[in-house]
Each structure stands twice: as structure tokens, then as C-alpha cells.
Amino acid sequence: MNSHNNVIQLDNVSKQFGKKQAVRQVSLQIAQGSITAILGPNGAGKTTTIKMMLGLTSPSSGEIKILGLPPGHKQVQQRIGVMMQDVSVMDFLTVREIIRMVHSYYPSPLDTAALEKLTGLSPADLNRRAEKLSGGQKRSLNFALAMTGNPDILFFDEPTVGLDSETRRQFWSQIRTLAQQGKTVVFTTHYLHEADEVADRIILFNEGAIAADGTPEQIKNGMTKRTLSFTYIPPLNGGSRESAHTENDETAAAANQAMIEKLSGVDQVLYRQNRCILQSQDTDALIRQIITMQLPVRDIRIETGQLDDAYASMLNNVKEEQ
Amino acid sequence: MSMLIAQSRAEMIRMIRNVYFVFWSLLMPVLFYILYTRIFTTDAVDAKEWNAHYLMSMTCFSVMGSSIMTLGIRLVQERAHGWVTYLRVTPLPNSIYFGGKMIGQTFIHLCSIIVIFTSGYLINGVSLTFSQWVSSALWILAGSLPFLALGTCIGTLRRVDTASGLSNALYLSLALLGGMWMPLNVMPDWLAQIGRWLPSYSFGNGAWSIIGGGVPQLRDILLLGGYLAVFMLLSTYIRSRQKEA
């Protein structure tokens, strides 16, 4: 990956909507021919970031370059294809008529026959009014429209929402073929498995900032830490679990805290009810330390987090914060 | 150029296929024409002159309606449905998008004029000189400009419901107060005074002057030009404000 084949470049891009900071200090480069998934929960800033790349909204600060030009530049528009969320098609026109109209917008478009084929629609459906198509068919038409200008970069915002699994599979197989032809694909999704299966890079967004960026493998490793958890043996006889704020409990908590701090190789400590959960890359080493130090703990469990669980818990955290 | 042709062509097809448009712009004026020249007739007015006068009124009524309502509501719809967002990421320039709409509208206005003029001829045998037919048609085409500009103002609204309500109210009150349904001189004096300053009155009055054997008055031309400028400025101002937001 050198800077020559980066087709998308964001430098310190932020976007503020009133008091809400939708995107914070995002910097990234996207290489030509790659399939990049922008993954994150709703409200993470994915769509806003895509919209800024498309020139639909301008960043409050920072700079964006698409193919070396500012977004929204005519030469950029001629070389990108876009499929947005919730875009209906122009009414009172047949599929063929819409394709012919959009065809006229581009300097070197694919020919209309190829585009009609891309929609996957039958000749009868091609002559139907586009607004009368089913949701999935409209999506196929939008895909064909995105391809009209034979674009170098394709942007898809939540492309597979509402599609059945077969259509979804076909869609992604088309996308892979396009990437093999050297086209760059950027899509947003909140399905982790989709990003994992299709993309060769995942940029994870959370609260408007990049939370992680890497290959699906790297992201998965980063998200599925092993955890070791245990409950404390009450250090003092009087320390009842029901009364939460007695002096004894506070002393006990402080003692526990001190114990845990002595352990090495702990990445993160979480407390859930009476359990203390330690995240670590090496839970075997942790258990050895706990035994050697004779920590007053019981019911020790070691778990490998499921990827989906880890992602779901991240989504939940975000929702709680909102 | 091919972009503008394709865009205009698509707009024309869309208008013709729109039942709503056909009803409001063609059927309604023709029905009104039949109603007020064949059914509710009075002997007091010169029937021949009235038939021609009211034919102009109804043609203006039709063209004004399609300019304000069809254009305005469709602009709002296309934005509400995300179509405008899609177009903004394509190389289609905004000017061609609007240009296509204006050409489509003008084509449709021409159709309205032909249909309504023809029905006037068939229903009441309205007879005008060739130059009167042509110049009144041209006047109506040109005079629709301020109403198209008003349509683009309506087109800046966010909700289709609001746009539809507002454009209906504007359209019907402009038609009534501008003397398109009944001559201003049968209205109370104060109402007629207001009516004379409305663009709809000047629009109709130009056509009435032509069929009366005269030419449109300078006052009407200036008033329509003034309204055109005001509505264009207003529309441009709102659009630039919305872009900033």
C-alpha cells in the first residue's frame, strides 16, 4: 500500500451538527482495488463519513481528497458510483427509461444493454414503472445506476439491508468481481459477519471516531479477548453482599483492587455484580499468578469471547451511552 | 446537450403519465369552461366575446396551476424521496436538472394550450384570427415564468403535505382574485383593487387584451417581470440558506 494508489484520503476530518459531534478527527486512506467495510452501530458516524466523501455534506474541519480532488468535483462525480440508503427511483418512468436518462449523465458509460443485464431484471420488468418494483428489485436497479458511469470507486451505504440471503450472496459476488477488476469498493454496514466475509479491510467506527482499523482477522483478534473471571471470597465475616455501602465493603473493595493491580498481563478490568472480569491475551499466565498469590477468589472461569458477542456488547454500550 | 435532451424528454414523459396532472391541468379547466360558457350563462354579456375571454382565463388557469402545483410538489417529492440526493452525486449539473424541468413544463404548457384552445373551438366555436391564436399562446407560455419561479419557491419546502396545501391555496386564491373564474368587475371593489396587483390578473389580462384586438399592456408586463424577479430571488435565497444548513 503506497500513497500512489490511495484513491481516498481523509485528514483529520470532523463534522459537527449543532452541538452534536458526528465525526471526530477521522484520518484514513483507502487503496485502489480494495474492499473496505465501514462498520459500526447506528449513529457511529458511518453515513456522515460517506456523505462527506461524496460531497453531500462538507466537513466542519479537515480535508478530504477523492482521486486527488475535492469531493463533489465534476471529474470525481464522473468516476464514482453510489448507492445510498432509502433512495427511491424517479416515478412515472420505466426501468429502461431511467437507465437511458442516467446513461446520458456520464462521459464514458457502460452500454445500456449491459446495464439492463446488471439489474438482473426480466425484459418484462425492464418495461415496468420503476416505482412499482419490489424493494429488492429497486435495489438492483440502484446498483445498475451506480455502475452506469463505469466508475473507479463504488460507494454503498448499507447495501444489503432488506435483501434476502440469496440476493445478498449474488450482490457480494458481483462486488468481489468488480474489486478484482481494480475497482475500489467502500461500503457501510452494521453486520459484522458481512464485513468479515466480504471486506479485506474493516474500519470500525464508534461514536464518530475510528475505534479500530485493520484486516477482518486483526479486528476479530482485537475484539475477542479472552477473559478470566472470579467472585471474591468475602474477606471479612460481616461483609454482607446486600448492604452495598458499608465501610467493610469499601475496605474489602480496596483490598481486592490492590490484589488485582498486582496481577500482570491484565488489559482491562470489569466488575459485574459480584464478579470481577479480567481481560487478557494470556489467561493461562493469569491463573498461575492467582494460584501462586493465593488470592481469596473462587469460581474461576475462563472464557473466549464470541466475536458476535463482543460486537453486540460494544453496540449495547453505545446505546446505553446515547 | 444530450444530457439536457434526455432530462427534458424524461420530464415530459413523466408529466404526461401523471394522472394528477392530467386532471388538474387539462380536465378541470375544460370542465370549468363548459360549466361557465354552456350551463351557467347569462344574457347580459356578449356571448361570443365571453366565450373567447373565458377560454383565455381557463388556459391561463391551467398553465398557472401546472407551474405552481406540479412543479412545486414534484420538486419537494423528489427531494423527500432521496432522488435529488442521488442526482447530486452524479455528474448531472443542477442547472440541467432545473433546465429539464422548465423545458418539460413548457412542453406541457404548450399541450395544455393546444388542448384547451381546441376544446374552445369545438365546444363554442370560438373564432380568433391566426395571429391572435398564436400571440395569445406565446403570451401564456412566456407569462408562465413568474409562476414557474413561484413553483420553485414551493419546491424548497421539506414536506409534501405542506407543499401540496400551500400550492393549492395559492393557486386557487390567485385564480379567484386574479379574475380567472369571474371578471374582477363583478367582485366587491376593494377585492378587485387587490386583484389588480396580483400576477394572475396581469397574466390573464395580457391574453384578454390580445383577443380583444389589442396588445398586452406595459403595466402587466412590468408586474409579471417584477414578480418573476422577486420569486427567483426568494427561491435562490432559500436554496442557498438550505445548502449552508
Side-chain angles (χ1 to χ4, degrees), chain A residues 88 90-92 97 105, chain B residues 7 14 17 74 81 83:
Chain A
S88 68
M90 219 175 210
D91 53 5
F92 297 110
E97 286 163 346
Y105 299 169
Chain B
Q7 196 69 14
R14 294 176 67 207
R17 288 187 187 154
R74 313 232 56 193
H81 293 170
W83 182 252

Side-chain angles (χ1 to χ4, degrees), chain A residues 51 54-57 74 77-78 80 82 84 86-94 97-98 100-102 104-107 129 145-146 148, chain B residues 2-4 6-7 9-11 13-15 17-19 74 77-78 80-93 97 101:
Chain A
K51 280 189 171 169
L54 297 175
L56 287 173
T57 180
K74 189 158 184 173
Q77 289 172 331
Q78 288 172 346
I80 64 171
V82 183
M84 299 291 291
D86 314 317
V87 168
S88 68
V89 284
M90 219 175 210
D91 53 5
F92 297 110
L93 291 177
T94 67
E97 286 163 346
I98 289 186
R100 223 165 289 156
M101 182 183 73
V102 174
S104 76
Y105 299 169
Y106 294 92
R129 298 272 182 90
L145 294 182
T148 308
Chain B
S2 66
M3 225 190 259
L4 183 62
Q7 196 69 14
R9 183 177 165 272
E11 293 290 355
I13 294 174
R14 294 176 67 207
M15 298 259 255
R17 288 187 187 154
N18 189 347
V19 181
R74 313 232 56 193
Q77 269 174 347
E78 282 168 29
H81 293 170
W83 182 252
V84 172
T85 310
Y86 168 73
L87 290 180
R88 278 177 61 197
V89 300
T90 69
L92 179 78
Y97 171 68
K101 286 233 174 291

Side-chain angles (χ1 to χ4, degrees), chain B residues 136 139 201-211 214-217 220 224:
Chain B
S136 57
W139 167 260
Y201 173 75
S202 293
F203 187 34
N205 200 35
W208 299 323
S209 303
I210 292 170
I211 56 146
V215 288
Q217 293 162 20
D220 294 326
L224 286 173

Side-chain angles (χ1 to χ4, degrees), chain B residues 149-195:
Chain B
L150 180 58
T152 64
C153 292
I154 305 272
T156 60
L157 293 168
R158 297 278 175 205
R159 287 168 46 97
V160 177
D161 297 348
T162 332
S164 158
L166 181 65
S167 57
N168 257 301
L170 274 173
Y171 172 38
L172 297 181
S173 43
L174 278 174
L176 181 67
L177 295 174
M180 286 182 180
W181 286 346
M182 52 183 118
L184 281 189
N185 53 27
V186 304
M187 285 188 211
D189 204 32
W190 62 275
L191 211 56
Q193 282 299 329
I194 298 174

